Amino acid sequence: MTDNQSFIHQDKPISSKADDFLGRNYFSENLAKSILSWKHKESWVVALTGKWGSGKTSIKNLVIQHINDKNKDMIILDFSPWEWSSQDLITQAFFDELEKKLIIKNRKIALDFVDYKNFTLKKSNFRNLKFLDLKKLKKIKNLPLNIIRIILLSLHNISTVLYEPIIKLLPVFGTGILISPIIDDSLKKHFLYVFLSLFILGSISNIYQYFYAKTNSLRDNKNNLSKSLINIKHPILIIFDDLDRLNKSQLESLMQLIKSNLDFNNLIFFLLYSKEVVEEKLTDNSQKGVDYLQKIIQYEVTTPIIEDFELRQVIVNNFDMFMNDLNVKNKKDIAKPEDFQRIINGVLNYLIDMRAIYRFFNSYRFNLTSLVNNHHLEVNAIDFMALETIRLFEPELFESIKSNGSFLTGQPYFERTGKIAESNEVKEEIDSFRKINISLKNATLLEYMFPILTDYSDRTKLKNLKISSAEKFDNYFIYSSSKTKISSYDVELIKNDLSNDTNSVTIIDNYFSSTKRTSLLAQIYMLAKELNNIEKSNLVVALSHLFQKTNSTLSISSERQNLLLLVDNLISSIDEVDIKITTFNNLNHANIHSYILMFLINSLEKYKNGLSDVQISEITQSTLNKIKHYIQVDYDKFIADEYSRSMYFFFQKHDSKYAKAFFTVQLNDERTFKSTLSIFIGNFGVIGSEAIDASSLFTIIEESKFKTLLNRFLIKNPDDKFINNVSYLYSKRIFDT
């Protein structure tokens, strides 16, 4: 395609044989030959019918080109009646346009046509330019009369050119001149003289117009025009395009215009329209549209059927051209030939003509280009092609897809419904969706986009950038680069910096601190599959630094829980023992919360396939030392930490002797007694808890000693709410037991 881009964007018919990619040229050439062969005969009405978008105007343009190639002298009027607002304007415009063509090609016919036009439009009393007919002057032998006729004709034409516009401007400018106090009286007199002269010219023009129009009857003028038309070498081709765009009254008026001129020779009317549309508009109580057209149309041809292989080639060419022009760096991820071949038949179910293809590619280009971010496309181009087809031609299905993203991307049943699925419930869900939404027309596209619809147990097809990937699904519905989502370009930046431990911490922290925080962890899940061991190790450390910045809720699907699971999965996927040990050592030496290390150590059992007991012991001891240091350096901060209870249990499990000695001192110290008690109250130190963890507390201190310390503190601080609550919980414990 030489100019494929403009061809698609402008949605216009082809204008030359070089642009014909649907094999219309041969058909158009034969039609042009038929028109050229119609000489010295009565008028002929040819109709080219076809649905909207079937290429009627393109065929017309090719017919005109073939005619011009063979006969440049043929008069062709290509008229678009739908550009005019009323039936009167359509008739007037038609005669005016034909007059212009005739003046250029054949002056004699033009003179006869003007007279005929004036009678047809009842314009004998309207101002029109008149042409000097030398033949009529020769018939009149009286020289003075000829001179008078020439003078009157000249004055009439001058009046026609000058009189009307000045009269129209008079109310605005003339009144202003006459009443203005700053304009000289002599200027006003001159203005009046000019106006009087124009008035006299107009009167002479009216007299001339009256007598000139009365020289012949309508029949005389029509006969004169018929004789002129009979003698021309080639017929006049009058083309009426887009008749189906006219309203009922406009269409009826135009058909009447054609009928009233059918008795002229060497006129060929070439009509282009959608047959069903025009027949419906011409149907009323008195007649059927099809019968009406049969009285006028003498020869009807239908636009050739566009074969699927032709449409397929147009789609392929346009897609290839667009992808070649698309300036992105991740082309290998966004458009695979085998995927294109899988959906092309499904797309052809909707793109059934050139207009549909124009419409599709205009939309596809615009929306897909808007999803390019820093030279990275955020979606799969083939998936987006399938979805855009659905959006344009099945909008209700599009909305159904949009609202069922969690289901179509394979999100677990429990996360979607809040309950455990029965053995067949997921399959029933899929069957229900298929029954409501899938048809023979859209099945190819839907089953390609969402593998779950064909095999609900298969998750291997949920690839990066695909619409069936839960992390990417939303990208297909924003049609613009999102400020809140990690883009493919962002992922590339992160990946490039993960080879350096310092850079990895910085870039992860920057993204997490930005508006793209929400989607960071989801995208890293996808990125992790592409990383080597060193990059995974650096990513683990970088993510661990985010622990204190996440929300503190450790519920399922919370931000912090997702972070912990991601770090756990990353370490599990490191398959080199040395790098795995280095990762734990880096975590222990980095400024991160000890809880994340404890969380990982509690999962060490699943790492044993790569780590020895000695190595696990060393990692555990290193974490324990970090917690000991934390407690010893800043005990008040440790006690206030929301994870103090977890760290205490870790401390007690791996060094119970030291833990007992240390916390016994804290409980016996009046300054730290109250704060230390928070470790043994409920879960994570929540005061509103219903119990004291007595089993843990009384391994540190004897119950009698604790009772004494509690009473002593309560006596000194009778209004302390925390101690009163502890006393209540302790009393409740004794009562319950």
Side-chain angles (χ1 to χ4, degrees), residues 399-652:
E399 291 300 325
S400 179
I401 292 172
K402 185 177 179 180
S403 60
N404 283 283
S406 58
F407 160 63
L408 292 170
T409 56
Q411 185 178 351
Y413 186 86
F414 177 79
E415 293 182 20
R416 290 184 282 113
T417 65
K419 64 178 184 177
I420 304 299
E422 298 295 336
S423 59
N424 210 36
E425 279 188 312
V426 175
K427 187 176 184 304
E428 288 175 357
E429 261 190 326
I430 294 170
D431 291 342
S432 175
F433 182 90
R434 290 182 62 89
K435 183 177 180 180
I436 296 172
N437 295 288
I438 293 187
S439 65
L440 290 174
K441 191 173 185 179
N442 63 39
T444 300
L445 298 180
L446 281 176
E447 291 173 359
Y448 162 77
M449 288 190 288
F450 303 107
I452 194 173
L453 296 175
T454 55
D455 185 356
Y456 70 90
S457 63
D458 187 359
R459 296 292 179 271
T460 62
K461 297 176 183 177
L462 307 185
K463 299 175 182 177
N464 191 25
L465 290 179
K466 302 283 285 180
I467 190 174
S468 53
S469 169
E471 292 79 12
K472 287 296 180 181
F473 181 83
D474 288 344
N475 284 359
Y476 286 79
F477 298 91
I478 56 176
Y479 298 146
S480 61
S481 185
S482 176
K483 294 182 179 180
T484 60
K485 288 186 174 292
I486 293 291
S487 67
S488 298
Y489 174 72
D490 296 325
V491 171
E492 285 296 315
L493 289 181
I494 293 171
K495 185 177 179 181
N496 291 337
D497 278 344
L498 286 179
S499 57
N500 181 286
D501 54 355
T502 303
N503 291 350
S504 60
V505 172
T506 301
I507 194 168
I508 292 295
D509 184 71
N510 288 342
Y511 275 107
F512 197 76
S513 302
S514 72
T515 57
K516 298 183 178 183
R517 164 179 181 151
T518 304
S519 69
L520 176 66
L521 299 183
Q523 293 303 314
I524 287 178
Y525 267 111
M526 303 300 298
L527 174 63
K529 302 172 184 177
E530 305 173 16
L531 302 179
N532 60 40
N533 288 325
I534 293 177
E535 291 168 339
K536 288 177 182 177
S537 176
N538 290 336
L539 181 57
V540 165
V541 176
L543 290 172
S544 299
H545 279 277
L546 302 180
F547 184 76
Q548 287 297 85
K549 294 186 177 183
T550 57
N551 64 65
S552 59
T553 304
L554 278 175
S555 62
I556 186 170
S557 78
S558 72
E559 189 177 53
R560 182 164 288 180
Q561 187 70 18
N562 286 335
L563 175 67
L564 291 172
L565 292 174
L566 178 56
V567 169
D568 185 28
N569 289 335
L570 280 168
I571 291 181
S572 299
S573 66
I574 297 174
D575 52 17
E576 292 184 39
V577 174
D578 291 343
I579 295 179
K580 190 174 289 188
I581 293 173
T582 300
T583 305
F584 278 106
N585 290 336
N586 290 339
L587 288 172
N588 272 308
H589 290 95
N591 185 27
I592 62 171
H593 201 286
S594 299
Y595 179 81
I596 200 166
L597 284 159
M598 292 164 41
F599 175 84
L600 295 172
I601 289 172
N602 289 334
S603 302
L604 282 177
E605 287 296 322
K606 62 183 176 183
Y607 307 142
K608 279 190 174 181
N609 59 337
L611 299 175
S612 66
D613 290 340
V614 174
Q615 291 168 331
I616 291 175
S617 176
E618 289 175 350
I619 293 170
T620 302
Q621 188 60 43
S622 179
T623 302
L624 179 62
N625 292 339
K626 185 170 185 176
I627 294 174
K628 285 183 178 180
H629 179 76
Y630 182 20
I631 293 173
Q632 293 166 354
V633 171
D634 197 342
Y635 185 71
D636 289 341
K637 185 177 179 181
F638 166 77
I639 291 297
D641 195 309
E642 58 187 316
Y643 297 105
S644 58
R645 182 176 172 83
S646 298
M647 288 185 281
Y648 160 74
F649 279 119
F650 183 85
F651 188 10
Q652 186 185 51

Side-chain angles (χ1 to χ4, degrees), residues 695-706:
S695 59
S696 298
L697 176 64
F698 296 143
T699 58
I700 302 297
I701 188 172
E702 294 180 359
E703 187 170 359
S704 58
K705 178 68 173 177
F706 167 74

Side-chain angles (χ1 to χ4, degrees), residues 48-148:
L48 176 63
T49 63
K51 294 182 178 180
W52 284 334
S54 61
K56 297 185 295 295
T57 303
S58 294
I59 291 174
K60 176 202 71 177
N61 291 340
L62 292 176
V63 168
I64 293 174
Q65 185 180 19
H66 283 297
I67 291 174
N68 288 331
D69 289 344
K70 296 181 183 299
N71 186 350
K72 297 186 181 298
D73 295 328
M74 187 171 183
I75 298 172
I76 301 175
L77 173 62
D78 188 2
F79 186 68
S80 296
W82 64 272
E83 295 178 353
W84 306 92
S85 59
S86 70
Q87 54 265 41
D88 293 335
L89 287 178
I90 289 173
T91 305
Q92 172 72 57
F94 165 71
F95 279 121
D96 289 346
E97 292 298 315
L98 184 54
E99 181 183 339
K100 293 175 185 177
K101 288 281 185 180
L102 292 173
I103 290 173
I104 296 171
K105 295 283 188 177
N106 193 314
R107 189 173 182 81
K108 172 63 175 65
I109 296 179
L111 291 171
D112 292 333
F113 176 76
V114 168
D115 293 334
Y116 170 70
K117 179 186 79 169
N118 289 334
F119 272 98
T120 302
L121 296 176
K122 299 178 181 179
K123 294 188 65 173
S124 58
N125 294 321
F126 290 90
R127 242 168 265 288
N128 289 282
L129 290 174
K130 301 299 178 183
F131 302 98
L132 190 61
D133 191 345
L134 296 177
K135 289 184 178 180
K136 288 184 178 181
L137 288 179
K138 290 179 180 179
K139 292 178 182 179
I140 303 174
K141 303 298 183 181
N142 192 323
L143 180 60
L145 188 59
N146 281 340
I147 294 173
I148 292 172

Side-chain angles (χ1 to χ4, degrees), residues 189-407:
K189 288 180 181 180
H190 285 99
F191 174 79
L192 289 172
Y193 292 151
V194 170
F195 175 70
L196 184 60
S197 300
L198 288 171
F199 180 78
I200 294 171
L201 278 174
S203 300
I204 294 172
S205 174
N206 284 337
I207 294 170
Y208 173 79
Q209 184 87 338
Y210 177 79
F211 285 105
Y212 182 83
K214 294 295 184 179
T215 56
N216 290 311
S217 66
L218 174 60
R219 178 172 295 180
D220 291 334
N221 284 317
K222 198 166 187 178
N223 288 337
N224 290 335
L225 180 57
S226 295
K227 292 176 183 178
S228 298
L229 289 171
I230 289 174
N231 295 323
I232 61 175
K233 293 181 179 180
H234 308 287
I236 297 173
L237 178 61
I238 301 171
I239 303 172
F240 291 116
D241 198 356
D242 293 318
L243 298 191
D244 40 36
R245 297 195 188 188
L246 300 176
N247 60 40
K248 181 178 178 63
S249 60
Q250 291 172 328
L251 185 59
E252 289 175 343
S253 176
L254 187 63
M255 288 300 178
Q256 187 59 43
L257 174 65
I258 295 171
K259 285 175 65 177
S260 64
N261 292 282
L262 287 180
D263 51 353
F264 286 117
N265 285 25
N266 280 328
L267 284 186
I268 299 177
F269 294 94
F270 186 22
L271 315 182
L272 291 82
Y273 56 85
S274 170
K275 188 174 182 178
E276 293 81 2
V277 174
V278 169
E279 286 179 354
E280 182 180 355
K281 289 181 179 179
L282 291 176
T283 299
D284 54 30
N285 294 331
S286 63
Q287 65 182 353
K288 293 182 179 179
V290 61
D291 297 332
Y292 185 90
L293 287 174
Q294 285 178 355
K295 297 174 184 178
I296 299 175
I297 308 301
Q298 296 161 312
Y299 178 62
E300 178 184 316
V301 290
T302 305
T303 53
I305 296 174
I306 306 175
E307 300 292 344
D308 280 354
F309 75 87
E310 295 173 323
L311 290 173
R312 179 191 294 267
Q313 193 57 50
V314 173
I315 295 170
V316 170
N317 289 345
N318 280 283
F319 181 78
D320 287 345
M321 181 276 299
F322 174 52
M323 293 308 299
N324 288 336
D325 290 344
L326 191 63
N327 186 18
V328 296
K329 296 179 179 178
N330 58 337
K331 282 188 180 180
K332 63 182 179 64
D333 297 325
I334 63 172
K336 297 185 183 300
E338 59 270 23
D339 289 340
F340 186 85
Q341 293 303 319
R342 284 184 62 193
I343 71 161
I344 186 65
N345 288 335
V347 171
L348 280 168
N349 287 338
Y350 298 90
L351 306 189
I352 58 175
D353 54 46
M354 294 303 296
R355 184 158 294 169
I357 292 176
Y358 298 157
R359 179 188 176 196
F360 171 78
F361 273 101
N362 279 337
S363 175
Y364 180 73
R365 284 168 176 272
F366 179 82
N367 289 328
L368 191 66
T369 304
S370 71
L371 293 171
V372 175
N373 180 20
N374 290 296
H375 303 296
H376 281 71
L377 186 61
E378 298 302 317
V379 296
N380 180 284
I382 309 299
D383 284 37
F384 193 79
M385 189 176 194
L387 183 67
E388 189 68 358
T389 304
I390 296 295
R391 187 184 74 84
L392 287 174
F393 299 100
E394 288 201 53
E396 291 184 4
L397 175 57
F398 175 81
E399 291 300 325
S400 179
I401 292 172
K402 185 177 179 180
S403 60
N404 283 283
S406 58
F407 160 63

